[in-house]
Coordinates of all heavy atoms in Angstrom, one line a residue:
F24 N 20.7 1.1 -27.0 CA 21.0 1.7 -28.3 C 20.6 0.9 -29.5 O 20.1 1.4 -30.5 CB 22.5 2.0 -28.3 CG 23.0 2.6 -29.6 CD1 22.5 3.8 -30.0 CD2 24.0 2.0 -30.4 CE1 22.9 4.4 -31.2 CE2 24.4 2.6 -31.5 CZ 23.9 3.8 -31.9
T34 N 28.3 4.4 -33.5 CA 28.0 4.7 -34.9 C 28.8 5.9 -35.4 O 28.7 7.0 -34.8 CB 26.4 5.0 -35.1 OG1 26.2 5.4 -36.5 CG2 25.9 6.1 -34.2
G38 N 29.8 7.5 -29.6 CA 29.8 6.3 -28.8 C 28.7 6.5 -27.8 O 28.7 7.4 -27.0
G53 N 5.8 16.8 -24.6 CA 6.1 16.2 -25.8 C 6.4 17.3 -26.9 O 6.5 18.5 -26.6
F67 N 16.9 22.3 -20.3 CA 15.7 23.0 -20.7 C 15.3 22.5 -22.1 O 16.2 22.6 -23.0 CB 15.9 24.5 -20.8 CG 15.8 25.2 -19.4 CD1 15.6 24.5 -18.3 CD2 15.8 26.6 -19.4 CE1 15.4 25.1 -17.1 CE2 15.7 27.2 -18.1 CZ 15.5 26.5 -17.0
Q108 N -4.4 28.6 -31.1 CA -3.1 29.1 -30.8 C -2.1 28.1 -31.3 O -2.2 26.9 -31.0 CB -2.9 29.3 -29.3 CG -1.5 29.8 -28.9 CD -1.4 30.0 -27.4 OE1 -2.0 30.9 -26.9 NE2 -0.7 29.2 -26.7
G122 N 21.7 35.8 -19.1 CA 20.5 35.0 -18.7 C 19.4 35.0 -19.7 O 18.3 34.4 -19.5
E174 N 32.3 43.8 -29.2 CA 31.6 43.5 -30.4 C 30.3 42.9 -30.2 O 30.1 42.3 -29.1 CB 32.5 42.6 -31.3 CG 33.8 43.2 -31.7 CD 34.7 42.3 -32.6 OE1 34.2 41.2 -32.9 OE2 35.8 42.7 -32.9
P201 N 19.0 39.3 -33.1 CA 18.0 39.1 -34.1 C 16.6 39.4 -33.7 O 15.7 39.5 -34.6 CB 18.1 37.6 -34.4 CG 18.6 37.0 -33.1 CD 19.5 38.0 -32.5
Y213 N 22.6 26.9 -46.9 CA 23.2 25.7 -46.3 C 22.7 24.5 -47.0 O 21.5 24.3 -47.2 CB 22.8 25.6 -44.8 CG 23.2 24.3 -44.2 CD1 24.6 24.0 -44.0 CD2 22.3 23.4 -43.7 CE1 25.0 22.8 -43.5 CE2 22.7 22.2 -43.2 CZ 24.0 21.9 -43.0 OH 24.5 20.7 -42.5
S255 N 34.0 29.4 -40.0 CA 34.8 30.4 -40.7 C 34.6 30.3 -42.2 O 35.0 31.2 -42.9 CB 36.3 30.2 -40.3 OG 36.8 29.0 -40.9
I257 N 31.7 30.3 -43.7 CA 30.4 30.9 -44.0 C 30.6 32.3 -44.6 O 31.3 33.1 -44.0 CB 29.4 30.9 -42.8 CG1 29.0 29.5 -42.4 CG2 28.2 31.8 -43.2 CD1 28.1 29.5 -41.2
L271 N 22.2 7.8 -37.5 CA 21.3 6.9 -36.7 C 20.2 6.4 -37.6 O 19.5 7.2 -38.2 CB 20.7 7.8 -35.5 CG 21.6 8.3 -34.5 CD1 20.9 9.3 -33.6 CD2 22.3 7.2 -33.7
D278 N 14.3 8.2 -33.5 CA 12.9 8.7 -33.7 C 13.1 10.0 -34.5 O 14.0 10.2 -35.2 CB 12.2 8.8 -32.4 CG 10.7 8.7 -32.5 OD1 10.1 9.5 -33.2 OD2 10.1 7.7 -31.9
A282 N 16.4 17.8 -31.4 CA 17.0 18.6 -30.4 C 18.5 18.2 -30.2 O 18.7 17.0 -30.1 CB 16.2 18.7 -29.1
Q306 N 5.0 7.4 -31.5 CA 6.3 8.0 -31.4 C 6.7 8.2 -29.9 O 5.9 8.1 -29.0 CB 6.4 9.3 -32.2 CG 6.3 9.1 -33.7 CD 6.4 10.4 -34.4 OE1 5.5 11.0 -34.9 NE2 7.7 10.8 -34.6
K324 N 36.0 20.6 -50.5 CA 35.8 21.9 -51.3 C 34.3 22.0 -51.6 O 33.8 21.1 -52.2 CB 36.6 21.9 -52.6 CG 37.8 22.8 -52.6 CD 38.4 22.9 -53.9 CE 39.2 24.1 -54.1 NZ 39.8 24.2 -55.4
K333 N 17.8 35.7 -60.2 CA 17.0 36.9 -60.0 C 15.9 36.6 -59.0 O 15.0 37.5 -58.8 CB 16.4 37.3 -61.4 CG 17.4 37.6 -62.5 CD 18.2 38.8 -62.1 CE 19.2 39.2 -63.2 NZ 20.0 40.3 -62.9
G344 N 29.8 39.0 -50.9 CA 31.0 39.9 -50.6 C 31.1 40.3 -49.2 O 32.0 41.0 -48.8

Side-chain angles (χ1 to χ4, degrees):
F24 179 58
T34 176
F67 277 7
Q108 179 179 294
E174 297 182 3
Y213 173 62
S255 68
I257 294 178
L271 296 172
D278 208 296
Q306 293 182 257
K324 250 187 162 181
K333 300 295 184 182

